[in-house]
Amino acid sequence: MGLSGATVSPAPFCCRGLRRGGGAVGGGRGRTAEAERWRRAGAGRGLGSSGGSTVRCVATEKHDEKAGAAVGVGFADEEDYRKAGGGELLYVQMQATKPMESQSKIASKLLPISDENSILDLVIIGCGPAGLSLASESAKKGLTVGLIGPDLPFTNNYGVWEDEFKDLGLESCIEHVWKDTIVYLDNNKPILIGRSYGRVHRDLLHEELLQRCYEAGVTYLNSKVDKIIESPDGHRVVCCERGREILCRLAIVASGAASGRLLEYEVGGPRVCVQTAYGVEVEVENNPYDPSLMVFMDYRDCFKEKFSHSEQENPTFLYAMPMSSTRVFFEETCLASKDALPFDVLKKRLMYRLDAMGVRIVKVHEEEWSYIPVGGSLPNTDQKNLAFGAAASMVHPATGYSVVRSLSEAPRYASVISDILRNRVSAQHLPGSTQNYNPSMLAWRTLWPQERKRQRSFFLFGLALIIQLNNEGIQTFFEAFFRVPKCLDVARIPGIDSFIGGSHIIFILHVRNSTK
C-alpha cells in the first residue's frame, strides 16, 4: 500500500537479461505456458521491467531472521537489520536494484560536489523522494546543498489520493486516475470511499524531483556514507566511500528506515512491525474488477483452510490497480505484523486468490516486493544529526504511507533549517531549553512537536490493535472504520496521513460490533 524505501547494502543474487522485443514472456501459446510456469514457481523468481530491457532475478540465498547478529556489517543492531529487510533482505534488494533504464541517473543531471575542502551549508544523505524534495527546497532558500547516496532509481509502484498530489503541484506525475476507490470486506455490499486515487508514474516523479534539484543548484556524490562525525570547529564531517570526507554545517539523514548507523533512536520504545506486499503487473483474462474503480482493499477470505494455521495468522488483502480490463497490478498485502510475513507466502496467497476468482494470467510485466517497517521508536531529538522521511520515523505506523507527508513537509522543514543556519533563531524559541541547547533541537521539534508525538501514540494504538486481529476481526474493524458517521469523519481527514487516526473511536465501534 505504502512506500518508504529503506536503503540497504546490495546482497547476492543472479540476474540474466531477457530481450525486450518479446516482453517479459513469449507470445501466443508459449506466452500463456510461460505465465503458467511462472505462476506455479516459488517467490524467489522475479520478473522486472525496465525501459530498454527486462531482467529476471533469482535469489541464491535467504537469511534466517536470527541472522541479524551475524550480518553485522552495515547494520547498527538487530532492529536496524529488521528495518532493512531481515529474513526477506534479498527480496528487498532485488526490488531496490531493479534496472529502470527509462529513469535518468542522478549523476547525469546534477553537478558533482566539489573536491575542494569547502564547507557546504547542508548535506542530505539519501536520494529517495524525501531526500530529493528536501534537497531542492533547502537549496531554494539559498543554502549550498550536497546530496549523497547510491544512484538508484525509483522502483516501487506509488499510489496516492489524487487531490493530495494536486496540492503538491505534482498532478503531471500521475499516470492513471480512478474516479473512486472501493473496499470489499466480506460478501456484503462493497464500500465506496468517494475519493479519486492515482497511480504515480515513477519515471516522471523521479525526473520532476531531479529537475527541481538541478534548478536549485543541488550538487551530488554517488557514494554510501560510513559515518558522520564532528570536527573540532563544530562542523559535521560526512565520511564516504574511498576515504572521501564532505564538510558541512548540518547533516540530514534521509536514507530510509534502516539508518541506525548514522542516527540514535529512543531506547525502550515499541518494537518495529513490518508491512509486506507481493505485487505483480499482468495481462489477464476474466478480470473481475471494474476498471474505473481502484480496489483499495479486498479482505474477502477465499482461503478458508487452504493454508496452515501459522500461515493464516496474519490476515492479508488484495490491493488492485486495473489499468484496463485486461492489464492489472495486483498486490497481496499484509497491513502489519510483528514479524514480516514472507514474500513466498504472500505470492502463494495471491495466486490462490486469483485462481479462486477465475483470473487467468497470460503475461507478466513486473514483480514487486514491498517491505515497509512501521511503528518502532522515534529518533532521539537531542542529537545533532537530523533526519527526514522514513529515517525520521515519518512512515504512518498503521498504513505504511509516507511519501506524501515527506513531500508536503519538505518546504517548511527547509525553512526552519535555513533559519537555523542563518542564525535567525535562538534558544528562546525552545520552551524549557537549557544551556545544553544546540540549533538542531529546533529542527527536531519542528518535525516532532509534542502534539504530533501524541498523535503518533494514537496511530501506534491502531497498529497494536491491527496486529492482534484475525481475518474476521479485521473485517469488523474496517467495516466500522469505513462506515464512521459523517459527524465523526474527522477521524479520516485530511487524507491517508490521518487514516486510523481515530483508532480510539474505531476501537469502541469494533468492540461494540463484536459483542452484539
Side-chain angles (χ1 to χ4, degrees):
M1 283 179 67
L3 173 101
S4 79
T7 302
V8 291
S9 302
F13 61 91
C14 302
C15 297
R16 56 191 178 93
L18 297 176
R19 290 190 302 112
R20 178 169 174 78
V25 292
R29 293 182 180 177
R31 181 178 70 181
T32 303
E34 174 67 14
E36 179 64 16
R37 286 194 294 273
W38 167 85
R39 185 186 67 79
R40 296 183 183 280
R45 177 179 173 186
L47 288 166
S49 175
S50 67
S53 63
T54 304
V55 172
R56 177 173 295 155
C57 300
V58 183
T60 58
E61 177 185 354
K62 186 174 179 182
H63 287 290
D64 185 89
E65 186 68 31
K66 296 179 181 180
V71 171
V73 178
F75 305 109
D77 50 32
E78 185 176 354
E79 186 82 343
D80 205 41
Y81 171 67
R82 279 172 50 81
K83 290 180 180 180
E88 304 300 302
L89 181 59
L90 290 180
Y91 296 126
V92 173
Q93 275 306 298
M94 284 195 286
Q95 178 64 27
T97 56
K98 286 195 295 190
M100 305 291 291
E101 295 176 9
S102 55
Q103 291 185 26
S104 300
K105 286 291 187 181
I106 302 173
S108 72
K109 293 288 185 178
L110 305 184
L111 294 174
I113 293 177
S114 173
D115 289 329
E116 299 176 3
N117 291 326
S118 56
I119 299 172
L120 295 170
D121 289 324
L122 180 65
V123 162
I124 295 175
I125 301 161
C127 305
L132 290 176
S133 60
L134 184 59
S136 64
E137 293 295 335
S138 300
K140 286 178 186 177
K141 300 294 180 182
L143 303 179
T144 55
V145 179
L147 182 70
I148 303 177
D151 199 339
L152 295 174
F154 292 177
T155 60
N156 285 54
N157 285 287
Y158 297 14
V160 295
W161 299 112
E162 183 189 22
D163 57 328
E164 291 185 339
F165 242 48
K166 282 185 175 180
D167 291 343
L168 292 169
L170 292 170
E171 62 268 30
S172 63
C173 297
I174 297 178
E175 67 172 311
H176 193 98
V177 175
W178 293 269
K179 65 180 181 181
D180 205 344
T181 44
I182 193 166
V183 174
Y184 298 90
L185 297 173
D186 48 33
N187 292 323
N188 294 327
K189 185 178 180 180
I191 301 168
L192 287 171
I193 296 177
R195 198 173 183 192
S196 58
Y197 199 80
R199 174 174 171 166
V200 176
H201 194 302
R202 52 196 168 188
D203 295 357
L204 294 180
L205 179 63
H206 188 259
E207 195 69 24
E208 173 65 24
L209 296 181
L210 269 184
Q211 183 64 26
R212 293 182 181 186
C213 286
Y214 170 76
E215 292 174 353
V218 176
T219 54
Y220 173 65
L221 175 63
N222 181 5
S223 173
K224 295 177 186 175
V225 172
D226 296 324
K227 58 185 176 180
I228 307 170
I229 59 177
E230 186 172 7
S231 67
D233 59 4
H235 290 122
R236 316 307 292 164
V237 182
V238 181
C239 303
C240 305
E241 296 173 310
R242 297 176 293 278
R244 182 84 184 271
E245 295 183 345
I246 307 297
L247 276 67
C248 60
R249 298 169 66 193
L250 276 180
I252 300 180
V253 180
S255 54
S259 297
R261 292 186 304 108
L262 304 177
L263 294 168
E264 300 170 2
Y265 289 85
E266 293 177 351
V267 177
R271 185 172 181 257
V272 69
C273 295
V274 180
Q275 176 185 123
T276 48
Y278 171 79
V280 58
E281 184 159 344
V282 290
E283 299 285 347
V284 299
E285 294 177 352
N286 305 321
N287 173 27
Y289 295 116
D290 182 346
S292 69
L293 300 175
M294 186 271 166
V295 182
F296 195 63
M297 289 178 170
D298 189 341
Y299 260 115
R300 289 176 292 185
D301 187 3
C302 62
F303 308 119
K304 303 302 178 185
E305 298 179 0
K306 173 69 176 178
F307 297 97
S308 66
H309 176 72
S310 61
E311 289 180 323
Q312 293 192 66
E313 284 183 351
N314 297 303
T316 62
F317 65 91
L318 183 65
Y319 171 93
M321 293 177 166
M323 308 299 291
S324 69
S325 60
T326 59
R327 181 163 178 160
V328 188
F329 175 74
F330 293 113
E331 191 164 61
E332 191 73 21
T333 303
C334 176
L335 187 58
S337 60
K338 292 180 181 178
D339 297 305
L341 188 64
F343 290 117
D344 55 357
V345 174
L346 288 164
K347 180 171 182 176
K348 284 170 59 179
R349 289 192 186 185
L350 176 59
M351 294 304 116
Y352 185 82
R353 185 191 294 273
L354 295 181
D355 276 347
M357 291 192 296
V359 177
R360 181 166 171 266
I361 297 173
V362 296
K363 182 178 180 181
V364 181
H365 292 284
E366 180 182 7
E367 275 183 292
E368 176 172 287
W369 300 269
S370 175
Y371 186 100
I372 303 174
V374 292
S377 297
L378 289 174
N380 179 349
T381 55
D382 292 330
Q383 62 188 306
K384 292 184 178 181
N385 295 335
L386 299 175
F388 194 62
S393 301
M394 291 170 66
V395 177
H396 195 296
T399 67
Y401 278 80
S402 69
V403 173
V404 169
R405 180 182 172 188
S406 295
L407 296 175
S408 300
E409 294 196 20
R412 180 166 177 262
Y413 198 44
S415 293
V416 171
I417 298 298
S418 176
D419 288 344
I420 289 172
L421 292 176
R422 298 180 190 282
N423 298 316
R424 293 175 181 160
V425 295
S426 62
Q428 65 184 4
H429 290 85
L430 292 171
S433 60
T434 67
Q435 292 181 350
N436 294 325
Y437 160 78
N438 72 73
S440 298
M441 291 172 65
L442 179 60
W444 277 118
R445 295 194 186 187
T446 298
L447 207 59
W448 284 110
Q450 285 301 317
E451 181 181 356
R452 177 150 275 170
K453 287 183 177 181
R454 287 192 292 269
Q455 185 187 49
R456 187 174 190 267
S457 295
F458 281 123
F459 296 163
L460 289 171
F461 174 83
L463 173 61
L465 175 61
I466 285 170
I467 63 177
Q468 295 180 53
L469 298 177
N470 59 18
N471 199 74
E472 183 179 355
I474 209 159
Q475 287 175 339
T476 304
F477 178 94
F478 282 113
E479 176 75 21
F481 177 80
F482 285 113
R483 296 195 189 281
V484 168
K486 292 295 183 182
C487 62
L488 297 177
D489 208 36
V490 67
R492 288 198 267 142
I493 56 176
I496 199 66
D497 194 46
S498 292
F499 186 68
I500 317 293
S503 294
H504 51 306
I505 297 173
I506 304 306
F507 177 70
I508 294 171
L509 294 173
H510 170 70
V511 172
R512 183 190 70 186
N513 290 346
S514 299
T515 55
K516 282 185 178 179

